[in-house]
Amino acid sequence: MDGEVPDGLCVDVDGNLWIAVWGAGQVRCYSTSGERLATVHVPAPHTSSVAFVGTDLDTLLITTASASFCSYRRPAWKPFTC
């Protein structure tokens, strides 16, 4: 995980841990036994936090940051859904 740092996290209704990985452009899901169950690829390098939202808490909200980009070099990443 060179250059990748775990950042924000949340737990789903099944007890699985969802971690935003700064520098990887990913959110990773781990079971209670530590097995990686899923990886969500995000079209931005700095995923910063995650949360389940909605009436049934079934929508994964992912935030990103552009802290290491100067304003004139900052790409125009667009919101996405998965």
Side-chain angles (χ1 to χ4, degrees):
M1 283 183 49
D2 189 29
E4 300 174 4
V5 179
D7 203 350
L9 57 88
C10 69
V11 177
D12 65 22
V13 295
D14 296 318
N16 299 314
L17 183 65
W18 292 79
I19 304 171
V21 185
W22 182 274
Q26 296 179 351
V27 173
R28 299 174 186 161
C29 175
Y30 294 90
S31 69
T32 56
S33 65
E35 174 188 0
R36 188 187 300 193
L37 301 176
T39 301
V40 178
H41 297 276
V42 179
H46 301 313
T47 49
S48 55
S49 195
V50 291
F52 281 95
V53 298
T55 306
D56 297 320
L57 299 177
D58 59 353
T59 300
L60 182 63
L61 175 72
I62 302 170
T63 62
T64 62
S66 58
S68 64
F69 298 105
C70 298
S71 61
Y72 67 90
R73 297 177 116 182
R74 189 173 298 143
W77 289 301
K78 296 184 174 27
F80 73 100
T81 56
C82 59

